[in-house]
Amino acid sequence: MDKQLEMFMTKHIPMIDEQLQQLLTGGYSPISLRESMLYSVKAGGKRIRPLLVLAVLEDFGVQSADALKVASAVELIHTYSLIHDDLPCMDDDDYRRGQLTNHKVFGEATAVLAGDALQTAAFNALASLEHTSAEKALALVRLLAEASGAKGMVGGQILDMEGEKASLSLEQLEEVHLHKTGALLSFCIEAGAILAGANENQIAQLRSYARNIGLAFQIKDDILDVTATTEQLGKPANSDTDSEKSTYPSLLGLEGARLQLEKYHTNAIECLSFLPSDKSYLALFADYIVQREL
C-alpha cells in the first residue's frame, strides 16, 4: 500500500469508528438490538466507503465539521446491507470478516431488525448535520435514499438474486454491479463533492470516476473469490461459484477479468485530471482497489 494512503487510513479509521460508536450508543435502544448492531459495525472491514467521502474533501482542500457524520452514515447503510445479505433467505453465509455472521450469533429476527435499525440510523445522522446548510443536507438525504434503495443498492441486490443460475451477459452483469456495489460508492464520491462545494463539471467527472471504481471494485472482488483462500477473505472462498452466479472471471476468464479491471482503473484515473495533483487521494484509492489482496 502507498505510504501516503496508509497514513491517511491510519489517521481516519479510528475517527470513523468513534463516530459510528457515538451514532449507535446515544439515546435509548434495547440492549439486545444495540449489541447486534455494534457486533457487525465493529467487525471492522476496510472502511473504504467512509474514507472515500473524506478523500474527496482532502483532495479539494476543504474541511467540513460534518464530514465524519456523513461518512459514517454510508458505513451504517453498508453494514446493514451485509447483515441482510448474509441471511439464509439471501446468500446464506455463516462467516463475514472472519467471524460468525450476525444471524448466527443473534438469530435471524434480531439480525433483520438490527439491519433495519442501522438503515434508519444512517438517515438520522444526515438529518442531524449541524454545520451544513439545509439545502445540502436535503441533497445528501435524497442522494443516499436513491443510492441505497430500489434505484441503487437494493435494486442491484434483486438483480443479483434473479441472476443466480443464469448466464448473464457482460452488459447485464455490469448492470447488477453498477447498482449493488457501485451506487453506494458513487454516493460517497458525490457526497464528498457536495460538502466540498464542487462545481457541476467537477461533480460530473467525479461521477464518472465513481462509476469506474465501482466496477473495478467488483471485478477485483470476483477475482479474489477464485484466487484467495477463505482465511484471507474472512468468508468462504468460491462462494459465487457455489451459488452459480455469473462473475467477471466466469464470463471473461481470469486474464480477461484482469484486463477489464485494468481498463476501469485507467478510466478512473483519467477522470481525475482536473485535480492539481496526480497523487490525489482518489487516485491512490483507485490504485488500492485494484491492488488489494482482501
Side-chain angles (χ1 to χ4, degrees):
M1 183 191 298
D2 180 271
K3 190 67 176 177
Q4 180 183 338
L5 183 61
E6 184 178 9
M7 290 174 63
F8 180 82
M9 295 173 77
T10 300
K11 173 184 176 181
H12 288 101
I13 287 176
M15 297 164 68
I16 293 165
D17 289 344
E18 183 180 353
Q19 179 68 72
L20 288 166
Q21 177 82 15
Q22 290 176 9
L23 289 174
L24 296 182
T25 54
Y28 168 78
S29 60
I31 293 173
S32 57
L33 179 63
R34 186 168 65 247
E35 287 180 347
S36 178
M37 294 162 71
L38 288 170
Y39 175 81
S40 290
V41 167
K42 288 182 174 181
K46 298 173 285 292
R47 305 296 195 215
I48 294 296
R49 289 157 187 81
L51 285 167
L52 282 171
V53 178
L54 303 180
V56 177
L57 286 160
E58 194 76 27
D59 282 345
F60 275 81
V62 174
Q63 293 186 339
S64 167
D66 283 329
L68 277 173
K69 192 174 282 188
V70 175
S72 298
V74 72
E75 188 70 2
L76 293 176
I77 292 286
H78 176 55
T79 305
Y80 119 73
S81 75
L82 299 181
I83 294 174
H84 284 192
D85 236 9
D86 291 335
L87 290 167
C89 61
M90 292 187 67
D91 286 349
D92 194 16
D93 282 324
D94 292 345
Y95 289 91
R96 168 75 66 176
R97 294 171 175 169
Q99 64 182 34
L100 286 169
T101 47
N102 196 291
H103 69 274
K104 284 292 180 180
V105 177
F106 298 94
E108 291 179 33
T110 299
V112 169
L113 294 172
D116 293 344
L118 288 169
Q119 182 187 53
T120 55
F123 288 101
N124 184 56
L126 294 185
S128 305
L129 301 180
E130 298 175 355
H131 308 280
T132 302
S133 70
E135 181 182 7
K136 285 186 176 182
L138 181 60
L140 291 168
V141 170
R142 183 184 297 114
L143 194 64
L144 186 58
E146 290 185 356
S148 60
K151 293 181 180 180
M153 179 187 71
V154 174
Q157 288 173 314
I158 196 74
L159 291 175
D160 187 43
M161 291 174 64
E162 290 174 351
E164 290 184 9
K165 299 179 174 62
S167 296
L168 301 183
S169 67
L170 182 60
E171 183 179 1
Q172 289 172 319
L173 183 62
E174 294 199 337
E175 183 71 10
V176 170
H177 295 307
L178 281 171
H179 290 81
K180 184 182 177 184
T181 303
L184 274 191
L185 290 171
S186 292
F187 167 82
C188 300
I189 301 302
E190 193 164 348
I194 288 171
L195 291 175
N199 62 44
E200 283 303 315
N201 182 59
Q202 291 169 332
I203 289 176
Q205 289 290 97
L206 288 171
R207 284 184 184 131
S208 183
Y209 164 85
R211 181 185 188 281
N212 281 285
I213 64 162
L215 289 169
F217 193 97
Q218 186 59 51
I219 295 170
K220 185 65 176 184
D221 266 3
D222 284 359
I223 291 171
L224 289 172
D225 189 63
V226 296
T227 60
T229 65
T230 295
E231 289 71 26
Q232 288 172 313
L233 294 173
K235 60 181 181 179
N238 296 303
S239 59
D240 290 336
T241 302
D242 295 341
S243 299
E244 298 181 56
K245 288 185 178 182
S246 293
T247 66
Y248 289 91
S250 70
L251 285 180
L252 304 173
L254 198 52
E255 187 56 34
R258 286 174 172 145
L259 289 173
Q260 196 80 345
L261 176 65
E262 184 180 334
K263 181 185 86 170
Y264 286 122
H265 172 259
T266 300
N267 291 347
I269 297 299
E270 289 175 353
C271 293
L272 301 175
S273 60
F274 70 93
L275 291 173
S277 170
D278 59 358
K279 275 292 185 181
S280 69
Y281 284 102
L282 291 178
L284 293 175
F285 269 109
D287 294 345
Y288 172 73
I289 284 169
V290 303
Q291 294 167 2
R292 64 194 168 94
E293 295 302 325
L294 52 85

